[in-house]
Amino acid sequence: MTLITAQMRAAIGTTVSERTSFPIDPSDIRRWAIAVYWPDPPPSAFVDEEAARASPHRGLVAPEEFNPFAWLAAREGGALDRAGGADVNRLERALGIPGPDLSFQLNGGLEAAYKERMRPGDVITSTTTLADYQERAGRLGPMLFTTTEDHWVNQAAATVKRARMTLIRY
């Protein structure tokens, strides 16, 4: 018996979420950097515009892990954004297909690759797709590994970040 149905396989590659940020404000970058580096002071490239102009980045940049969607998004769309809730079948429910009959879920890991740095004024668009389903046998029974890929681009269509997240359900 397999947990991955034909409908689930057919959904691989489907966009499940799309978001667009508000323009990034220099104060957002500074506050994020202060929080991330606390209790040490953040690097000047993240807080001091004059020092940042003399850096290799030639201006203020956000830390790579900065999240322009942390508080609000200017636009949210896609099935997953409308699904709400935290149940184990949220992804499949958002796609309008039956989910696996499993009870528990946990984070199986996140891989991120950073490219173009985010700067004040940038508007970031995030597109999340269902990348893969895999299954394995575990001590507690069958396990379903679901991978999504999130691709962030700036207003010039330059890649800012690619992230792959795996969710383990059992």
Side-chain angles (χ1 to χ4, degrees):
M1 183 184 125
T2 180
L3 296 171
I4 306 169
T5 66
Q7 288 174 303
M8 291 166 68
R9 285 225 184 273
I12 293 172
T14 301
T15 297
V16 295
S17 176
E18 295 177 301
R19 298 177 292 171
T20 302
S21 75
F22 287 102
I24 296 172
D25 188 88
S27 292
D28 294 335
I29 293 171
R30 289 183 185 102
R31 283 190 290 260
W32 188 278
I34 289 167
V36 167
Y37 286 91
W38 184 263
D40 296 324
S44 59
F46 305 141
V47 294
D48 180 343
E49 290 189 41
E50 186 176 323
R53 278 193 294 278
S55 77
H57 301 294
R58 298 181 179 268
L60 200 64
V61 295
E64 288 179 318
E65 68 280 356
F66 175 78
N67 183 352
F69 307 104
W71 297 277
L72 288 173
R75 183 188 64 80
E76 291 189 61
L80 195 57
D81 294 320
R82 293 186 296 273
D87 70 85
V88 297
N89 294 311
R90 180 175 179 244
L91 177 64
E92 289 77 23
R93 187 166 40 85
L95 293 169
I97 60 176
D101 189 23
L102 300 170
S103 302
F104 303 101
Q105 63 184 355
L106 60 109
N107 184 340
L110 175 72
E111 300 172 32
Y114 300 99
K115 304 291 182 186
E116 190 71 26
R117 298 302 290 259
M118 290 178 272
R119 297 174 177 276
D122 280 357
V123 173
I124 306 301
T125 299
S126 161
T127 304
T128 304
T129 57
L130 172 58
D132 195 24
Y133 285 114
Q134 296 290 321
E135 59 186 315
R136 296 185 191 140
R139 288 190 319 230
L140 299 174
M143 299 186 309
L144 179 64
F145 293 74
T146 306
T147 304
T148 56
E149 183 169 294
D150 194 9
H151 183 208
W152 291 11
V153 297
N154 65 18
Q155 68 282 352
T159 295
V160 172
K161 177 175 111 171
R162 282 194 180 273
R164 290 177 63 88
M165 181 176 179
T166 301
L167 179 68
I168 303 171
R169 296 181 276 179
Y170 60 98

